[in-house]
Amino acid sequence: MASVESSRGEPRSQQQRKREALERLARDNDVWVATADAGGEPCLVPLAFWWDGESVWLATRDTNPTGRNLIASGRVRLSFGHTRDVVLVHGTARMLTREELPAAVGDSFAAKDGWDPREDHPSYVFFQVAPRVLQAWGTVPELAGRTLMRDGKWLV
């Protein structure tokens, strides 16, 4: 993957950021998942994920704070990468039980991560996260133009 800024220190183009964001979604194994409960108490955890080209798929127990928060509100923020090359996704999540999950999704998730939640504790459920906003930036010069998707539609 290219550096955050070009060799001349200029910000990457939005097209380059989109391409590199999609590469990160396909390549990375884990994502920071931020949710909040009804009272606003935040929860931030790393989870394994799989990107199918349109949605981010997560698996977690429906009994832990992240699972409960996602079930209750469907609101989530995902952070990929590190602070000097971040992809931030604001999305909406829908829960699927193992019985509802398409087999191909479960198989792809398991193949990517090496762990199959369908074979783990029965409280594991899956969440399909539809990106609504996607932003990608590195350092301050890239703050302008960081929004690459809005309302689920690519701007670039």
Side-chain angles (χ1 to χ4, degrees):
M1 192 146 149
S3 65
V4 173
E5 295 177 7
S6 72
S7 60
R8 295 187 320 228
E10 295 175 5
R12 296 170 293 173
S13 69
Q14 285 188 309
Q15 292 79 7
Q16 181 180 355
R17 288 190 236 179
K18 177 182 177 182
R19 184 180 68 252
E20 291 177 4
L22 290 171
E23 289 170 2
R24 179 174 294 289
L25 290 169
R27 183 191 68 240
D28 285 5
N29 291 320
D30 301 307
V31 60
W32 285 105
V33 179
T35 61
D37 66 17
E41 181 68 28
C43 179
L44 179 66
V45 297
L47 294 177
F49 77 94
W50 175 64
W51 168 250
D52 70 5
E54 294 181 11
S55 299
V56 176
W57 292 86
L58 308 170
T60 191
R61 293 179 184 224
D62 60 4
T63 55
N64 70 25
T66 298
R68 290 192 314 265
N69 294 345
L70 288 172
I71 291 167
S73 75
R75 296 177 62 197
V76 64
R77 288 196 181 170
L78 307 174
S79 181
F80 303 85
H82 54 83
T83 57
R84 296 221 172 220
D85 189 12
V86 68
V87 175
L88 185 64
V89 172
H90 304 239
T92 54
R94 74 177 183 111
M95 186 193 80
L96 289 90
T97 64
R98 352 175 148 208
E99 295 77 27
E100 297 168 323
L101 187 73
V105 171
D107 293 346
S108 295
F109 186 99
K112 181 178 183 232
D113 192 59
W115 167 66
D116 192 342
R118 298 171 297 180
E119 297 175 3
D120 208 313
H121 194 272
S123 64
Y124 275 97
V125 293
F126 288 81
F127 292 92
Q128 180 183 20
V129 177
R132 304 302 304 151
V133 174
L134 186 143
Q135 299 175 315
W137 73 95
T139 58
V140 172
E142 288 194 347
L143 288 176
R146 68 183 172 265
T147 302
L148 305 178
M149 175 188 284
R150 186 179 309 285
D151 297 325
K153 306 262 190 266
W154 288 105
L155 304 175
V156 228

